[in-house]
Amino acid sequence: MFAREYKNKWRFGKRYKDPLTDKWRTVTILAERNTRNTRNEAQVILDKKIEKQLAKITGKLPTQDNMRLGELFDKYWEEKKDGWRISTQKTYETSYTIFLDIFGRDAKLNNITPLMLTNHFDNLIKIVLKAKKERERKKHKNKKTKKEKNIKKQDICNIHTISGLKIYYARISMLFNYAVRKQFIQSSPFEDVHVKWPKEHKLELIEQKYLEEDELKEVLSYFRKQRPIMADMFEWQYLTGMRFGEVGALYVSDIDIDKKLVHVTGTLDYASHSHKQDFTKQPMPKTDKSYRNIALSERAFEIFKSNSKGKKQKDFLFTDEDGCPVSVGNANSALREARKHFKDIDKNLSTHIFRHTHVSKLAELGVPLYVIQHNVGHSKSRITEQVYLHITKNTQQALRNSLNKM
């Protein structure tokens, strides 16, 4: 560092080499005096200016060698969040909050080892499997055992299935891949993470995704008595294949009365509002394929007529007793609460199950896969294809059995 008098003040400067051109460059600052304290302060300021200039050229932050987990998350979140829907942000944020709570924001990235991560996921697998075993043990009981309550306390991650854990794993892996891409770390510890995922019975998993006809009737019948508006929305999902958020966001004007079509153009934004009166329609469905027109059956049109009475064109079609739209969180909570009333339905009930039931029914009727994919708003979906192939395989076997009787 050098110091020179300049117009009754002092100019402090420092040289650095431009890594792109190999040329020497200079940064300077002005100060009132040339004292020991001033020189020390100037040294710190000049170093920071040089670091900032180098970061612009190399993209490498000066602190990254000692970067901590919280700092990585903040940078990742700031860059990525605006590309996600509000509801998607919430689900991702939940995953990262779990990870940050367990490892701590102050954890140094370079100190997080593959073994730490392997042990972390192994532990979560044990918790999920233990909780599942307890749920199965009390399947026909209404009261929770003390043992189950203890498991719930341990369930700090609020993840209840192996599939949910795999999603969590993928999201944390994405965070570390980002760190590698930005050169915050040389390599991701996930490269040497070896998780032994429990084997899941594929057939059992597929059949858990949709309701049989008698199961559907039982669920809808219950909600007709308890929450009629939800019964209408669940049945609408079954009849159209729409996501619950898309159903909740429907305006009266989204239904073409003459052509008997529903125009899917948005989803319900409930995550960014704390009061249901403030829920709005978000004009950006989950994917580009989500923008679609779906033919309405006579039953679906009856539901439309019933719910549109006395409403204006830009009113929400489906509203609760307070005249407000219904969020998917509210609907899923109602389904979980109602679960205990369905002793013969051993399936995880969520709003998605009605979409998958739509897929299973159309597959049973012989509707082509691409038509079904259009209805549910997917160009390609593993679950949609699995349900479709499973149902069509069963239908072919039933046909074969009938032919054998001829």
Side-chain angles (χ1 to χ4, degrees), residues 200-375:
E200 298 173 288
H201 196 292
K202 287 188 177 180
L203 180 60
E204 180 182 310
L205 282 176
I206 296 170
E207 292 181 342
Q208 283 279 327
K209 298 293 183 183
Y210 62 89
L211 296 171
E212 299 292 349
E213 194 166 335
D214 58 331
E215 294 173 333
L216 176 66
K217 286 180 180 178
E218 185 179 354
V219 173
L220 292 181
S221 176
Y222 171 82
F223 277 95
R224 284 264 172 260
K225 298 173 184 175
Q226 303 297 325
R227 301 288 296 276
I229 186 61
M230 285 191 183
D232 278 350
M233 295 178 77
F234 295 153
E235 188 174 3
W236 185 278
Q237 281 192 278
Y238 162 66
L239 294 169
T240 64
M242 291 172 62
R243 300 175 180 88
F244 191 87
E246 294 170 339
V247 178
L250 286 176
Y251 292 144
V252 173
S253 60
D254 288 326
I255 281 68
D256 187 323
I257 297 175
D258 296 327
K259 296 180 180 178
K260 289 190 176 181
L261 293 173
V262 55
H263 303 299
V264 185
T265 59
T267 189
L268 190 67
D269 178 11
Y270 63 92
S272 58
H273 304 287
S274 55
H275 301 292
K276 61 183 182 179
Q277 293 88 346
D278 299 324
F279 292 168
T280 57
K281 181 172 185 173
Q282 184 176 315
M284 184 181 70
K286 193 169 182 180
T287 65
D288 290 339
K289 292 290 182 181
S290 299
Y291 290 93
R292 61 202 189 277
N293 297 324
I294 302 172
L296 295 178
S297 65
E298 291 300 325
R299 174 57 189 152
F301 203 68
E302 286 177 14
I303 294 174
F304 162 71
K305 288 191 288 187
S306 172
N307 284 275
S308 61
K309 285 180 182 177
K311 291 183 178 179
K312 299 176 182 178
Q313 288 293 295
K314 285 302 177 182
D315 286 344
F316 284 109
L317 176 60
F318 296 103
T319 51
D320 62 14
E321 58 276 6
D322 297 320
C324 301
V326 182
S327 73
V328 66
N330 193 353
N332 280 330
S333 294
L335 285 166
R336 283 193 297 271
E337 180 62 27
R339 173 70 184 79
K340 61 189 176 187
H341 298 286
F342 311 130
K343 293 182 179 179
D344 296 327
I345 303 178
D346 185 23
K347 297 175 179 179
N348 292 321
L349 296 182
S350 75
T351 58
H352 258 47
I353 205 165
F354 301 104
R355 276 164 55 78
H356 298 148
T357 305
H358 172 80
V359 173
S360 71
K361 188 63 178 177
L362 292 191
E364 187 180 306
L365 294 172
V367 177
L369 178 59
Y370 73 90
V371 176
I372 299 175
Q373 288 174 327
H374 166 79
N375 273 20

Side-chain angles (χ1 to χ4, degrees), residues 156-171:
I156 54 174
C157 67
N158 199 32
I159 299 172
H160 307 291
T161 63
I162 296 300
S163 297
L165 270 182
K166 288 180 178 179
I167 293 171
Y168 170 70
Y169 176 96
R171 288 173 180 169

Side-chain angles (χ1 to χ4, degrees), residues 75-91:
K75 294 183 182 303
Y76 174 77
W77 190 252
E78 190 61 33
E79 182 174 317
K80 297 289 185 179
K81 67 175 182 177
D82 291 337
W84 295 329
R85 291 191 310 164
I86 298 295
S87 56
T88 302
Q89 287 181 27
K90 290 286 184 182
T91 59

Side-chain angles (χ1 to χ4, degrees), residues 105-192:
R105 289 182 61 90
D106 289 334
K108 288 186 176 181
L109 291 187
N110 287 324
N111 291 347
I112 298 176
T113 66
L115 180 59
M116 288 179 185
L117 293 170
T118 300
N119 289 339
H120 169 59
F121 290 108
D122 284 349
N123 182 52
L124 293 184
I125 288 172
K126 286 179 184 177
I127 292 174
V128 168
L129 291 179
K130 193 173 183 181
K132 181 183 177 183
K133 190 175 181 181
E134 281 301 310
R135 286 197 302 272
E136 290 174 351
R137 192 173 67 81
K138 71 163 212 74
K139 186 164 50 178
H140 299 296
K141 296 179 182 179
N142 290 328
K143 292 184 179 180
K144 294 177 181 177
T145 63
K146 288 183 179 179
K147 194 171 183 182
E148 190 198 7
K149 289 177 182 177
N150 290 335
I151 287 174
K152 196 165 185 179
K153 287 178 183 177
Q154 294 173 14
D155 191 12
I156 54 174
C157 67
N158 199 32
I159 299 172
H160 307 291
T161 63
I162 296 300
S163 297
L165 270 182
K166 288 180 178 179
I167 293 171
Y168 170 70
Y169 176 96
R171 288 173 180 169
I172 305 305
S173 178
M174 286 166 56
L175 180 65
F176 280 86
N177 288 341
Y178 170 83
V180 173
R181 186 167 66 82
K182 291 292 185 177
Q183 296 185 7
F184 299 151
I185 51 177
Q186 288 187 342
S187 62
S188 170
F190 274 83
E191 292 177 9
D192 292 312

Side-chain angles (χ1 to χ4, degrees), residues 26-89:
T26 304
V27 291
T28 61
I29 61 165
L30 286 175
E32 294 294 333
R33 294 179 296 277
N34 182 9
T35 65
R36 180 184 294 177
N37 286 340
T38 306
R39 287 193 294 273
N40 289 338
E41 290 173 0
Q43 179 75 48
V44 172
I45 295 171
L46 290 171
D47 285 343
K48 286 184 177 178
K49 290 185 76 171
I50 291 173
E51 287 173 353
K52 189 175 181 179
Q53 291 299 321
L54 290 174
K56 286 182 180 179
I57 298 169
T58 64
K60 185 175 181 179
L61 299 176
T63 58
Q64 71 182 50
D65 291 334
N66 294 307
M67 180 171 278
R68 298 181 185 273
L69 186 58
E71 189 180 357
L72 168 65
F73 168 72
D74 291 341
K75 294 183 182 303
Y76 174 77
W77 190 252
E78 190 61 33
E79 182 174 317
K80 297 289 185 179
K81 67 175 182 177
D82 291 337
W84 295 329
R85 291 191 310 164
I86 298 295
S87 56
T88 302
Q89 287 181 27

